[in-house]
Each structure stands twice: as structure tokens, then as C-alpha cells.
Amino acid sequence: MKNVIILLFCAVALVMTSCTLSNEEKAEKLVKETLKGYLYHPDSYEPISTKVDSMFIDVTTIEPIMKISDDIKDLMSKINRCKRNIESAESSMDIFAPNGYSSQYSRGEAKSDLDKYTKKLSEQLVSLKENVVKYHKGEFTGWAVSHRFRSLNGTGSITIPGEMIFFCDKEFTTCGGYEVDKFENFAKILKAVDEATSDEDIIDYFREDSFLL
């Protein structure tokens, strides 16, 4: 009787072990469901490889950081335009002095806009740095999944490889993904902010990245 009980216990344990999915299998299952709303032809989806790593970040900060970064680039472009307008107005004032009223007005308007955009830029830089600090959570928050796959393109004529990184919760119940190229650009922003010793260093990064000379 004792031997029968031991055999039953071993059989149950074996069944339970065989039914337990690995993290990679859990990730692939969740990623496949997530990609249904992303791919042109979900039925053509074919996984190639999946790598799962523990993550220690706050994924809710990723979208805000990307949005703030775009806002910073836009503000820098507007600031440059204001500076050019001021220079143009001042040149006109020199040419048409002492009656360059129109140029004086244009310069005043451009300076007002410059002050407004410069203030907004300072605010966005503060917000960017705050979100980057939050991003580095420092405690286990879930799983980062690097996933390569194949699927048909938009016309359904060519099978193309894809590579994305997904961020899944601890239980593999929800996740969000980004194309690798997009996330690599995001990582460059993080690196620039982490290594910056001043706001000017961050501005220089965006200036070079956006060719805002």
C-alpha cells in the first residue's frame, strides 16, 4: 500500500511538472496574443526566438519619456526659429533706422515667444529627469522579453523578420511591446540623461540627434 501511495505521488508530481510552462513559453504565449493587434497578418506569425530577463524598471515611464523627448525637440526647433527671427528683425532695424517700427514689433514678438518657449523647455527638462529617475525602479517589476519572429508584410506577399522587446508583468498576464529600433533610440535618451552633468548636456544631445544646429 505504501509503495502504491508513493507511485501515485510521483505520478501527480510528474503531471504537474509537465503542465508547468517555462517563462519562455509563458512569454511566447502572451506575445502571440499581443501581436494579434499589431501585425498585418497575424495568422502568418511564426516565432523564431524568445529570451526572457528579469527587469527592474518602471515601464509606465517609457511613454512619458518618449513624449517629453519629442516635446523638447519641438521646443528647441521653435527656439531656434525665434532666434533667427530676432536676428532678421535686428538686421532690418539697422537698415531702416531710425524708423524701423515694423522690425521693432517683430523683434519684440519674437523675444516674447523665445522667453515662453525657453521657460517651457526648462520645465520639460525637469520632467524628463524626474521620469528617468522613476524609470530606474531598482526592484523586480516583471520580465523583459526579447522576441524575434516572422510574419507577412502589409501586402501579404513577403515574409519578413521582426524583432521587438516586450515588457511583461510578473505573472505574464499583460505586456506592451516596442520595435527594437525605437527602443534603442529610447535607450540613447536614457544614457544621455544619466551621463549629463547639466541641462546643457541634455540639450546638446537633442541638438545633435535632431540636427538642430
Side-chain angles (χ1 to χ4, degrees):
M1 183 67 180
K2 184 177 181 181
N3 289 337
V4 173
I5 293 174
I6 293 174
L7 287 172
L8 286 172
F9 176 80
C10 291
V12 170
L14 182 62
V15 170
M16 290 179 65
T17 301
S18 64
C19 292
T20 302
L21 298 176
S22 68
N23 283 345
E24 284 73 18
E25 290 170 328
K26 292 177 183 177
E28 278 197 3
K29 183 178 179 181
L30 181 57
V31 165
K32 182 177 180 179
E33 287 299 312
T34 304
L35 284 172
K36 282 183 177 179
Y38 175 82
L39 299 177
Y40 289 110
H41 300 279
D43 293 340
S44 68
Y45 164 78
E46 179 187 350
I48 299 175
S49 65
T50 303
K51 181 181 178 182
V52 179
D53 291 309
S54 301
M55 68 178 184
F56 303 85
I57 60 174
D58 182 354
V59 296
T60 65
T61 61
I62 295 176
E63 288 296 330
I65 289 173
M66 289 182 174
K67 172 66 168 58
I68 293 167
S69 298
D70 287 340
D71 289 344
I72 287 174
K73 293 176 185 177
D74 181 58
L75 286 167
M76 289 176 63
S77 179
K78 289 177 177 177
I79 287 171
N80 285 345
R81 185 167 64 248
C82 287
K83 288 179 178 179
R84 289 195 298 269
N85 289 341
I86 291 172
E87 290 176 1
S88 176
E90 289 177 344
S91 296
S92 296
M93 287 172 62
D94 290 339
I95 294 172
F96 298 106
N99 298 314
Y101 301 118
S102 177
S103 296
Q104 288 178 8
Y105 175 80
S106 297
R107 183 184 63 172
E109 190 174 37
K111 281 190 173 181
S112 176
D113 288 341
L114 177 62
D115 291 341
K116 178 178 65 176
Y117 296 139
T118 301
K119 181 181 178 182
K120 286 184 178 180
L121 177 61
S122 296
E123 293 170 351
Q124 291 292 63
L125 288 170
V126 170
S127 183
L128 176 64
K129 290 183 289 186
E130 288 175 348
N131 275 279
V132 168
V133 170
K134 291 177 184 177
Y135 174 86
H136 299 297
K137 187 78 171 178
E139 62 186 53
F140 176 66
T141 56
W143 307 95
V145 180
S146 300
H147 185 64
R148 297 177 65 241
F149 59 93
R150 298 185 187 91
S151 64
L152 289 173
N153 65 357
T155 63
S157 58
I158 302 175
T159 299
I160 56 175
E163 187 172 1
M164 296 181 67
I165 182 166
F166 292 86
F167 299 101
C168 307
D169 64 350
K170 297 176 183 179
E171 293 77 26
F172 288 102
T173 56
T174 60
C175 75
Y178 297 90
E179 293 181 2
V180 168
D181 289 347
K182 184 174 183 180
F183 190 76
E184 286 178 349
N185 290 333
F186 169 78
K188 290 177 183 177
I189 296 171
L190 291 179
K191 186 173 184 291
V193 175
D194 287 336
E195 294 181 352
T197 58
S198 67
D199 284 353
E200 193 58 37
D201 288 340
I202 301 175
I203 290 173
D204 285 343
Y205 165 78
F206 284 112
R207 183 179 292 117
E208 293 171 5
D209 184 59
S210 304
F211 303 104
L212 295 172
L213 303 178

